[in-house]
Amino acid sequence: MAKVTIRQIAERVGYSMPTVSQVLNGNVDLYKEETVKRILSVARTLDYRPNAAARTMISGRSNYIGILTSSNPDKDSIFPRLMAGIQTELQENDLHMSLTHISDKHLSRSAGLPRVVRELSVDSFIVAYMARIPATLVKLINELRTPAIWINSKHHGDCVYADDYAASRTATQQLLALGHRRIAFVNYCSDVSDGRLHYSVIDRHIGYRSAMEAAGLPPRLIGGTGHLPLSERIAFTRAWLELEDRPTAILAHASTAAIAVAYAAAASGLVIPDDFSIATFHDADADDMALCLATMQSPIAELGKAAVAQTLTKLDKPLQGLSPVVLPYLWQTGESLAPPRHC
Amino acid sequence: MAKVTIRQIAERVGYSMPTVSQVLNGNVDLYKEETVKRILSVARTLDYRPNAAARTMISGRSNYIGILTSSNPDKDSIFPRLMAGIQTELQENDLHMSLTHISDKHLSRSAGLPRVVRELSVDSFIVAYMARIPATLVKLINELRTPAIWINSKHHGDCVYADDYAASRTATQQLLALGHRRIAFVNYCSDVSDGRLHYSVIDRHIGYRSAMEAAGLPPRLIGGTGHLPLSERIAFTRAWLELEDRPTAILAHASTAAIAVAYAAAASGLVIPDDFSIATFHDADADDMALCLATMQSPIAELGKAAVAQTLTKLDKPLQGLSPVVLPYLWQTGESLAPPRHC
DNA sequence: ATGAAAGCGCTAACAA
DNA sequence: TTGTTAGCGCTTTCAT
């Protein structure tokens, strides 16, 4: 019942350890059929499982890729779908995922860093941070001997992220193409004047702005002054929906905002999409959407896959810097778009 | 630049490897202050990092806890908040998390199992499966020598889950206490007649039912016939909202359903909560809710912590079976509750 | 207060 | 076709 080792198998079948080792590793041609058969059979009977640590010591590879994210919920960028994407690619390469949440306290040295960072226990890192990446983290990663890829944030290289700027331009253009002129951008989550925001917040904003300006129209920002509590959103939204010159369409920065707007619109007697069009960004599963809205769907799963791919390249050539990988959003029409009424 | 080992430090300071090892492990009282100081200083200069694999070989502990979940999105039970809870408790104990998604294909032997299961690379498992746990998985886990704890599913022992039955009773009772009589249960996700559903689906349903029956009222189920596509939900919902004897309140099985109902109600001219009350279950972050509804909030983070705690107990006494740990939901009033109009 | 020797489980290199 | 030897990095005796 104790752990079964190669030595035990060797003793049992009467061969040496290296022989057993070779056979169990599929190096079968070297040996007699009979030998192979007996070894494999005993291994199966004993339910032999290789000791990963021993292999790691020899190869210098743990076969673990470390995912680093923030323990601060609003910086945590570990969407289930992203994880799934990473997993898919990892398993393709028979690799493990080691997941660690790092708190800002960790980084300020008041607490010890987590074990993954202190020890040599993973082959490389994927750093998944949303919003306000602490400078100390950047420093930490750069000083690490272990190669690292940034996911979901912009850097000079060694990173993978989604093209929020293009996505926002495209979404806005879709609304413009329908004939809308009074198109607003709604952001109930972030304070747009905060310089240390996640790039996507900025890029979604300026993507919208640039599309509007290219069309010769004035951009119009609703919200953008920080997190608006759920309990205030509906009243706030209805107030601007009932203005004389209310927008005929909006692009929402996040699906929670979009849904609040949709609900407020319905409560104010506006019919979607006849009276009012809504498009939104969405970072999580399409299935998580409660309403069927026009959506710029983040390529999260693909980001995960791409990050792992970059990681593997980096493991081959640790010294070589990798150019950023930028992936496009996916547009899904939904049922919240129509031309404006008086066109 | 190559990896720094204890041997290198030993050579550099002129002490033996065991001495360096002891000092670096905090066994400081054995040695002269001078010795300790020099060793620590060199270790810092060289940026020494212990080789996790070597330690694992000796201790027999990898310090990795393996989380197993499904790669099938609807069975995947890895909510960000759950992960955070698990992480908190793991880091408290200086442990790593190894995350693995298992596909049903894996289990049907058509593909090889992932590495974590094949090798001895984690100290114990936490199995996080939502819905339809394959029999082969149960078998696999039971045959494993590595101890395992089930999270988010009911078993005879070695498991941690939330009390959906009590939560559903309580939520229903809240609606009853407000004076509601025509209270419906809405489920747009699952086919209630499917025997292999996740326990929570069943328990939420019968919790509601039993509270209604205890109050001498007929239960009323809306939906429950499988996944109703987003694009059909609003029309479907408006249809029953405009019935003569429409419910005055509902309990929704999931927040996506609740939001669809809220939107449909608004579109049908019903004011929430004056005309219509809504309560819902919510499995993810409270922050993920787009509307401010009365909510039975799943104790996900606590489930994670508890699972790790159980895991550690199990590591101490591998043979002892652990009684199930059952955690309560948390009721949040929100702004979607009021007494019925004609009361 | 410090060092020498042995070994954890496995595999690579070389011998036979 | 198989076995012997040696060693990965570390810690744990047991000497000195």
Side-chain angles (χ1 to χ4, degrees):
Chain A
M1 205 53 207
K3 314 260 152 139
V4 180
T5 68
I6 280 194
R7 152 168 282 134
Q8 295 181 38
I9 300 181
E11 281 165 1
R12 184 102 162 224
V13 284
Y15 286 105
S16 73
M17 288 170 50
T19 302
V20 174
S21 171
Q22 294 288 4
V23 169
L24 290 180
N25 285 314
N27 236 323
V28 158
D29 306 337
L30 288 171
Y31 303 91
K32 282 195 304 202
E33 230 186 280
E34 161 75 8
T35 311
V36 170
K37 211 181 290 176
R38 274 176 56 205
I39 291 179
L40 289 179
S41 137
V42 172
R44 217 171 307 113
T45 316
L46 264 39
D47 193 22
Y48 167 77
R49 284 157 202 263
N51 182 315
R55 286 186 164 173
T56 297
M57 275 233 331
I58 293 165
S59 67
R61 288 266 180 118
S62 67
N63 298 304
Y64 265 103
I65 305 296
I67 314 291
L68 253 33
T69 190
S70 176
S71 54
N72 193 332
D74 67 306
K75 299 189 186 183
D76 178 355
S77 149
I78 294 302
F79 305 99
R81 199 77 157 222
L82 175 64
M83 300 301 266
I86 296 178
Q87 280 286 342
T88 306
E89 198 66 18
L90 285 180
Q91 292 192 17
E92 206 71 39
N93 294 279
D94 212 18
L95 292 168
H96 290 140
M97 173 194 294
S98 167
L99 178 60
T100 307
H101 289 232
I102 298 190
S103 71
D104 289 358
K105 252 182 252 157
H106 279 137
L107 292 169
S108 65
R109 300 275 172 205
S110 74
L113 286 167
R115 221 179 169 127
V116 235
V117 189
R118 281 173 2 234
E119 293 183 351
L120 295 169
S121 46
V122 300
D123 298 337
S124 70
F125 284 109
I126 292 176
V127 191
Y129 253 72
M130 196 86 195
R132 284 164 292 125
I133 299 175
T136 38
L137 178 69
V138 180
K139 188 152 169 285
L140 178 70
I141 299 300
N142 289 337
E143 284 172 354
L144 239 40
R145 278 201 267 299
T146 315
I149 296 289
W150 296 90
I151 189 168
N152 218 337
S153 59
K154 277 187 182 177
H155 300 261
H156 292 304
D158 297 338
C159 64
V160 176
Y161 58 87
D163 195 346
D164 285 85
Y165 178 78
S168 196
R169 274 192 67 110
T170 306
T172 309
Q173 283 160 357
Q174 297 277 355
L175 295 170
L176 286 165
L178 283 169
H180 290 278
R181 290 297 166 261
R182 299 205 305 273
I183 305 170
F185 186 84
V186 175
N187 183 343
Y188 287 165
C189 312
S190 353
D191 178 355
V192 173
S193 68
D194 180 349
R196 301 169 314 152
L197 286 176
H198 187 249
Y199 83 91
S200 70
V201 180
I202 313 294
D203 283 12
R204 288 175 189 184
H205 192 231
I206 64 173
Y208 154 79
R209 176 181 292 270
S210 95
M212 288 298 277
E213 281 166 358
L217 295 169
R220 181 158 160 191
L221 175 63
I222 297 173
T225 57
H227 185 80
L228 185 64
L230 279 189
S231 54
E232 299 170 22
R233 284 188 194 182
I234 302 307
F236 180 89
T237 305
R238 292 188 62 173
W240 62 257
L241 276 173
E242 286 162 13
L243 291 176
E244 187 69 28
D245 68 333
R246 68 163 180 84
T248 61
I250 61 141
L251 175 58
H253 163 266
S255 54
T256 44
I259 285 168
V261 172
Y263 174 76
S268 288
L270 294 174
V271 176
I272 297 170
D274 306 1
D275 299 320
F276 187 61
S277 290
I278 297 182
T280 185
F281 284 87
H282 189 53
D283 298 307
D285 280 10
D287 297 358
D288 284 350
M289 291 280 290
L291 302 176
C292 192
L293 306 176
T295 301
M296 269 299 176
Q297 175 76 39
S298 169
I300 17 175
E302 288 70 26
L303 286 175
K305 288 190 197 177
V308 173
Q310 292 293 87
T311 285
L312 296 179
T313 314
K314 196 89 183 166
L315 276 175
D316 274 346
K317 313 173 192 133
L319 298 176
Q320 186 178 318
L322 265 34
S323 304
V325 172
V326 187
L327 299 182
Y329 272 70
L330 193 72
W331 175 249
Q332 287 170 323
T333 307
E335 299 176 350
S336 57
L337 296 187
R341 264 255 153 89
H342 322 285
C343 191
Chain B
M1 207 52 208
K3 312 261 151 142
V4 180
T5 68
I6 280 194
R7 151 168 283 135
Q8 295 181 40
I9 300 181
E11 280 164 3
R12 183 102 163 224
V13 285
Y15 286 105
S16 72
M17 289 172 47
T19 302
V20 173
S21 169
Q22 294 290 3
V23 169
L24 289 180
N25 285 313
N27 237 323
V28 157
D29 305 337
L30 288 170
Y31 302 92
K32 282 196 301 201
E33 230 186 280
E34 161 74 10
T35 312
V36 171
K37 212 182 291 174
R38 276 176 53 206
I39 292 178
L40 289 180
S41 139
V42 172
R44 219 170 305 115
T45 315
L46 265 40
D47 192 23
Y48 168 76
R49 285 160 202 262
N51 182 313
R55 286 186 163 173
T56 297
M57 274 230 337
I58 293 165
S59 68
R61 287 265 180 119
S62 68
N63 298 303
Y64 266 103
I65 305 295
I67 314 291
L68 254 34
T69 191
S70 176
S71 53
N72 192 333
D74 66 307
K75 299 189 185 184
D76 178 354
S77 148
I78 294 302
F79 305 99
R81 201 75 158 224
L82 175 65
M83 300 302 267
I86 296 178
Q87 281 286 343
T88 306
E89 198 66 17
L90 284 180
Q91 292 192 17
E92 206 71 40
N93 294 279
D94 211 18
L95 293 168
H96 290 139
M97 173 195 294
S98 167
L99 179 61
T100 306
H101 288 232
I102 298 189
S103 71
D104 288 359
K105 251 182 252 155
H106 278 137
L107 291 169
S108 65
R109 302 276 171 203
S110 75
L113 286 167
R115 222 178 167 129
V116 237
V117 190
R118 278 170 7 229
E119 294 183 350
L120 295 169
S121 47
V122 300
D123 299 336
S124 69
F125 285 109
I126 292 177
V127 192
Y129 254 72
M130 197 86 197
R132 286 165 291 127
I133 299 175
T136 37
L137 178 69
V138 180
K139 186 151 170 286
L140 178 69
I141 299 300
N142 289 336
E143 282 171 357
L144 239 41
R145 277 201 267 299
T146 315
I149 297 288
W150 296 91
I151 191 168
N152 218 338
S153 60
K154 279 188 181 177
H155 300 261
H156 292 306
D158 298 336
C159 64
V160 176
Y161 59 87
D163 194 346
D164 285 85
Y165 178 77
S168 197
R169 274 194 69 111
T170 307
T172 309
Q173 283 160 358
Q174 297 277 354
L175 296 169
L176 287 165
L178 283 169
H180 290 278
R181 290 294 167 264
R182 300 205 304 273
I183 306 170
F185 186 85
V186 174
N187 184 342
Y188 286 166
C189 313
S190 352
D191 178 355
V192 173
S193 68
D194 179 349
R196 302 168 315 152
L197 286 175
H198 188 248
Y199 82 91
S200 71
V201 180
I202 312 294
D203 283 12
R204 288 176 187 182
H205 192 231
I206 63 173
Y208 154 80
R209 178 181 291 270
S210 95
M212 289 297 277
E213 280 167 358
L217 295 169
R220 183 160 158 189
L221 175 62
I222 296 172
T225 55
H227 185 79
L228 184 63
L230 279 190
S231 55
E232 298 171 22
R233 283 188 196 184
I234 303 306
F236 180 88
T237 305
R238 292 187 64 172
W240 61 257
L241 276 172
E242 285 161 13
L243 291 177
E244 187 70 29
D245 67 334
R246 68 162 178 87
T248 62
I250 61 138
L251 174 59
H253 163 266
S255 54
T256 44
I259 285 168
V261 172
Y263 174 78
S268 289
L270 294 175
V271 176
I272 297 171
D274 306 4
D275 299 322
F276 188 60
S277 290
I278 298 182
T280 185
F281 283 87
H282 189 53
D283 299 307
D285 282 8
D287 297 0
D288 285 349
M289 291 281 290
L291 301 176
C292 192
L293 305 176
T295 301
M296 269 300 176
Q297 175 76 42
S298 170
I300 17 176
E302 288 69 27
L303 286 175
K305 289 190 196 179
V308 175
Q310 291 294 87
T311 285
L312 296 179
T313 313
K314 197 88 183 169
L315 276 175
D316 275 347
K317 311 170 192 134
L319 298 177
Q320 187 179 315
L322 265 32
S323 305
V325 172
V326 187
L327 300 181
Y329 273 70
L330 192 72
W331 175 249
Q332 287 169 324
T333 307
E335 299 176 349
S336 58
L337 296 187
R341 264 257 154 86
H342 322 285
C343 188

